[in-house]
Amino acid sequence: MGKFFAITIFVIAILSAIPIVMHTWEAPADISTHGHLIDEQMSETMAEAGISFLAAQLLLAFFIWQFSNRGTESKLKSFPGGARALVIAAVLVVGVEVLALGVFGVKAWAGVYLTPPSADAMPIQVQAGQFAFYFRYPGPDGKFGPLHPERINEGSQEFFGLDKEHDVESRDDIVTAEMAIPVNKEVHLLMHAKDVGHSFFVRELRVQQDFVPGLDVSLHFTATKIGRYEIVCTQLCGLGHYNMKAYLDVLSNDDFNEWMKKQAAMQ
Amino acid sequence: MHDTSAHAVQHHAPTSFIRKHVFSLDHKVIGKQYYALALAAALIGMVLSWIMRIHLGWANAAIPGLHTLSPNGAPGGVLTPEYYLQLMTMHGTIMVFFVLTTAPFAAFGNYFLPIQVGAEDMPFPRFNMMSFWVTFIAFLVLVSSFFISDGPTLGGWTQYAPLNAIGSSGGPGQGLGVVLWMISIALFCIGQLLGSLNFITTTLDLRVKGMSLMRLPLSAWAWFITSCMGLTAFSVLMPACILVILDHVAGTSFFVPSGLVLNDQLVPHSGGSTLLWQHLFWFFGHPEVYIAIVPGIGIVSHILIANMRKPMLSQRVLIYCMGALAVLSYMVYGHHMFVSGMNPISSLAFSFPTLVITIPATITVLIWVFSLYGSRLRINSASLFALGFVSMFVSGGVSVLVGSNNRSLP
């Protein structure tokens, strides 16, 4: 029974490792300038975790195979190195491993969160509410008009609560239900929650950030590949959460300008 | 440490059925009561997961009896999306609180800890009885939310703010359903606090003469460390739940900021913080992971020792590792909040101890595995489960490396 159990652990460990080693389940191709840092970090982490996983499982299986159901004539022995050797080995090997992960990983994190967007980054405001995203572009004046939550009225398509009559800066603001951005242009995303917590997740962009009610959060990224991508909410936000999504269109410069003109005409 | 002959906690053998089997002061009976509660909770949680799985496989299948339970949530027995979320929330809550905490900690700990330290019983038997019955009432309160008009809360077992505090306009179950959830969990916390006090006092004050702390079995150490965590973690969650209840019934705004709009109406709250709930919840929530696993580490170590027919390579190192896991568990909770909008520097600060916590976890696994070396390992049900636990612990442990990377999350 002991040997059978050891074989079971061995087989499960090897079978679990195969899809990882063979890259069976890959993340979709990265379309951002910062994404490769995150992908490299993930590969490094998976390699370290995978080696630790296999080493521990195979050693466990080997020791069960070797030392189970031995007769009383077999002498009890202790591991020659003792606990001290194991502790030193664990602190050194795992310590270096996690330190490396930590140090290399800071670069990716800092690139997204600790560096401000460039001065010419395109500002776009995204508002999340039960159960839709709406986007606002500042228009030719480059400025967003102030929000008036009490004016929000979805029935009359007043999603942001703008007061175009009194706020000059709001008059040229462009509100859309889909997000379009020009390729290779940095975007400064200003995130606003209308009601409860939501999240902005575009897996191809390697971007995920919560909307925090009462706290406007910002994020910046540059998309490098033209295409249509799904934006989904990944924070449980109520009964329609499962269906809360929008689309991100990454367009060429010309197509983006054309799209913007069309949207402006529809306001 | 005490001399059992002088200070033993003794109570006369109960004579009535009620005292013997229902409101018992005996730690073994209370342990069995906790275990029965955990089994009942596991059964309900399991049935909920069956319903969810059936729905995922056959979205339009009518599930018998469901319409009677919730005519709105499952008209004709077919689950609506919101009722799916309500079931998911209840499944998570029942499993995390009433199974994972109750069985390994309260049930086994109550039964075995006094025996292992050589005590007659827990030092406060009435507190012990109260601990179980408060937990039982907490369970009834939670389950009762299935029977209110719009059903239980749908906010998930983490009950994020402000969805948990804006009332029924947030969706089905977000009014009375949330209030019942919060009352239930606050009561549960009281039950576990009473239990933790008993466990700690039993371990520190009721050990038989000659049983020094380092001579305690590893499972006793595990329950002792777990009860220290319980004392600090549940005492944070309980007031947090009370604050949410106040947001519902007393018009306060602890977790609801100003300017929120629901159904085109301004939410009549202002000044609250949504991140405050996340901090309070995860300060409990992450230690809760270890409240569930550390008793397992202790029990498995104990079972392995008995079946290897030799001691662990180092009992002391294992004790220190369990202690390190417990302490670090409070310093890593922010890794649940990497994308929550908190200061990005804080994410770095929480990422580092999350990576470091892999060191005591690795040492624990190495001690287990290398203790097998040179043993005469007896294979039986207990040792197979214990060895399976070690294998599972490795799989879970390496995933910490992935989860601790705040870089992986933006």
Side-chain angles (χ1 to χ4, degrees):
Chain A
M1 187 63 186
K3 289 192 168 33
F4 176 73
F5 190 60
I7 292 170
T8 308
I9 292 180
F10 178 84
V11 170
I12 290 176
I14 297 293
L15 288 181
S16 311
I18 287 173
I20 310 292
V21 175
M22 304 290 289
H23 296 268
T24 308
W25 300 298
E26 284 288 85
D30 162 45
I31 62 153
S32 70
T33 50
H34 68 272
H36 69 281
L37 290 171
I38 291 165
D39 288 356
E40 284 163 18
Q41 180 74 11
M42 283 303 289
S43 303
E44 204 177 296
T45 307
M46 286 304 284
E48 290 185 15
I51 291 166
S52 311
F53 169 79
L54 276 180
Q57 300 285 10
L58 298 185
L59 204 60
L60 176 67
F62 176 69
F63 282 166
I64 295 173
W65 175 281
Q66 195 75 8
F67 298 110
S68 60
N69 292 329
R70 295 199 303 158
T72 45
E73 70 286 354
S74 313
K75 217 175 151 194
L76 288 172
K77 285 184 290 184
S78 259
F79 176 62
R84 184 187 295 265
L86 295 178
V87 171
I88 293 171
V91 171
L92 286 178
V93 175
V94 183
V96 168
E97 192 179 309
V98 299
L99 199 66
L101 278 179
V103 169
F104 294 132
V106 165
K107 199 178 162 194
W109 181 253
V112 178
Y113 278 100
L114 303 181
T115 53
S118 58
D120 66 340
M122 171 190 283
I124 301 174
Q125 186 178 45
V126 51
Q127 176 180 275
Q130 287 181 330
F131 300 98
F133 297 97
Y134 290 103
F135 305 90
R136 184 161 70 127
Y137 297 77
D141 69 352
K143 291 177 184 166
F144 290 112
L147 301 179
H148 301 280
E150 70 282 0
R151 292 178 63 90
I152 289 179
N153 187 324
E154 300 214 346
S156 59
Q157 301 215 321
E158 187 46 73
F159 300 113
F160 281 85
L162 304 180
D163 185 355
K164 294 195 174 182
E165 197 180 329
H166 298 100
D167 300 328
V168 179
E169 288 155 351
S170 296
R171 286 179 191 159
D172 62 349
D173 287 1
I174 297 164
V175 175
T176 65
E178 288 193 353
M179 183 178 180
I181 58 173
V183 68
N184 294 324
K185 167 88 177 161
E186 190 177 21
V187 170
H188 184 199
L189 198 65
L190 304 155
M191 301 171 64
H192 177 76
K194 190 187 87 173
D195 39 41
V196 299
H198 301 275
S199 192
F200 181 94
F201 177 45
V202 182
R203 53 186 193 156
E204 292 85 354
L205 273 178
R206 307 292 190 264
V207 162
Q208 183 180 24
Q209 174 64 52
D210 281 2
F211 292 82
V212 188
L215 184 72
D216 281 1
V217 182
S218 82
L219 193 67
H220 58 98
F221 57 83
T222 306
T224 55
K225 199 173 170 194
I226 290 172
R228 173 164 254 229
Y229 308 98
E230 201 177 47
I231 303 166
V232 290
C233 174
T234 50
Q235 185 63 261
L236 180 54
C237 57
L239 62 97
H241 166 66
Y242 73 99
N243 204 23
M244 182 168 167
K245 63 180 180 183
Y247 287 97
L248 166 70
D249 285 322
V250 181
L251 305 172
S252 67
N253 271 329
D254 290 346
D255 286 348
F256 176 74
N257 291 335
E258 195 59 36
W259 179 84
M260 194 54 107
K261 269 187 210 156
K262 210 181 280 178
Q263 296 299 322
M266 286 162 62
Q267 298 298 306
Chain B
M1 199 189 312
H2 87 142
D3 178 348
T4 45
S5 61
H7 304 289
V9 174
Q10 289 179 332
H11 38 78
H12 299 291
T15 49
S16 69
F17 178 85
I18 297 260
R19 256 294 181 236
K20 199 170 176 182
H21 298 291
V22 184
F23 296 112
S24 174
L25 300 174
D26 185 336
H27 70 97
K28 283 187 184 173
V29 175
I30 295 169
K32 285 190 259 186
Q33 287 175 324
Y34 262 120
Y35 197 62
L37 174 64
L39 281 180
L43 186 70
I44 295 176
M46 190 172 63
V47 170
L48 296 180
S49 73
W50 289 347
I51 297 172
M52 289 189 286
R53 289 282 168 196
I54 290 169
H55 179 73
L56 288 175
W58 299 275
N60 295 317
I63 299 168
L66 219 51
H67 175 86
T68 317
L69 183 63
S70 176
N72 296 329
V78 181
L79 244 66
T80 57
E82 53 271 30
Y83 200 58
Y84 180 94
L85 286 180
Q86 291 172 304
L87 296 188
M88 181 200 75
T89 302
M90 293 297 275
H91 168 79
T93 309
I94 287 171
M95 288 304 197
V96 169
F97 290 95
F98 293 94
V99 180
L100 281 178
T101 310
T102 305
F105 173 55
F108 287 119
N110 250 304
Y111 195 97
F112 290 110
L113 181 67
I115 300 172
Q116 289 190 340
V117 304
E120 291 263 335
D121 204 322
M122 296 276 185
F124 313 114
R126 281 186 170 71
F127 270 7
N128 207 16
M129 177 185 73
M130 203 193 299
S131 154
F132 169 74
W133 283 105
V134 168
T135 308
F136 182 71
I137 292 168
F139 186 62
L140 292 186
V141 171
L142 186 72
V143 173
S144 71
S145 62
F146 274 115
F147 304 101
I148 60 174
S149 62
D150 57 352
T153 166
L154 52 66
W157 83 277
T158 55
Q159 282 297 322
Y160 267 20
L163 187 62
N164 67 3
I166 50 177
S168 49
S169 53
Q174 291 310 100
L176 184 56
V178 169
V179 173
L180 288 173
W181 192 95
M182 293 292 165
I183 291 172
S184 165
I185 300 306
L187 286 173
F188 182 85
C189 292
I190 293 169
Q192 298 313 302
L193 286 171
L194 292 171
S196 297
L197 277 174
N198 252 325
F199 278 40
I200 291 171
T201 321
T202 306
T203 314
L204 293 182
D205 286 347
L206 293 190
R207 276 173 288 125
V208 72
K209 196 171 184 179
M211 173 77 84
S212 65
L213 279 175
M214 279 305 173
R215 284 181 179 172
L216 279 178
L218 283 164
S219 44
W221 260 105
W223 285 312
F224 174 59
I225 289 169
T226 306
S227 48
C228 293
M229 280 193 282
L231 201 64
T232 41
F234 289 115
S235 58
V236 171
L237 183 62
M238 182 185 63
C241 291
I242 293 171
L243 296 185
V244 174
I245 296 169
L246 290 176
D247 274 4
H248 277 265
V249 302
T252 56
S253 294
F254 289 105
F255 302 115
V256 190
S258 56
L260 302 190
V261 179
L262 267 165
N263 306 325
D264 293 345
Q265 298 291 319
L266 266 179
V267 175
H269 285 273
S270 64
S273 163
T274 53
L275 280 185
L276 174 63
W277 169 263
Q278 292 194 32
H279 282 292
L280 293 174
F281 182 85
W282 287 119
F283 188 81
F284 145 80
H286 200 78
E288 166 64 16
V289 173
Y290 292 88
I291 288 172
I293 195 75
V294 167
I297 293 175
I299 293 168
V300 161
S301 303
H302 200 118
I303 292 170
L304 283 180
I305 289 169
N307 288 292
M308 291 187 304
R309 288 174 264 192
K310 74 189 208 32
M312 280 286 164
L313 214 45
S314 170
Q315 164 135 337
R316 189 176 288 265
V317 170
L318 269 180
I319 294 167
Y320 291 154
C321 283
M322 287 193 285
L325 288 173
V327 172
L328 283 167
S329 72
Y330 289 93
M331 298 160 66
V332 305
Y333 78 86
H335 68 218
H336 297 274
M337 298 168 61
F338 283 154
V339 295
S340 69
M342 73 175 174
N343 188 322
I345 304 282
S346 308
S347 297
L348 286 177
F350 281 118
S351 175
F352 184 67
T354 307
L355 289 164
V356 169
I357 208 168
T358 55
I359 294 176
T362 305
I363 295 172
T364 304
V365 171
L366 288 178
I367 295 282
W368 279 333
V369 173
F370 281 90
S371 294
L372 292 172
Y373 178 90
S375 68
R376 288 201 299 263
L377 181 62
R378 190 164 38 197
I379 295 294
N380 52 32
S381 300
S383 68
L384 283 174
F385 271 112
L387 292 165
F389 177 97
V390 174
S391 177
M392 288 287 284
F393 189 80
V394 169
S395 307
V398 293
S399 70
V400 170
L401 283 176
V402 182
S404 61
N405 274 284
N406 54 4
R407 281 66 57 181
S408 67
L409 289 164

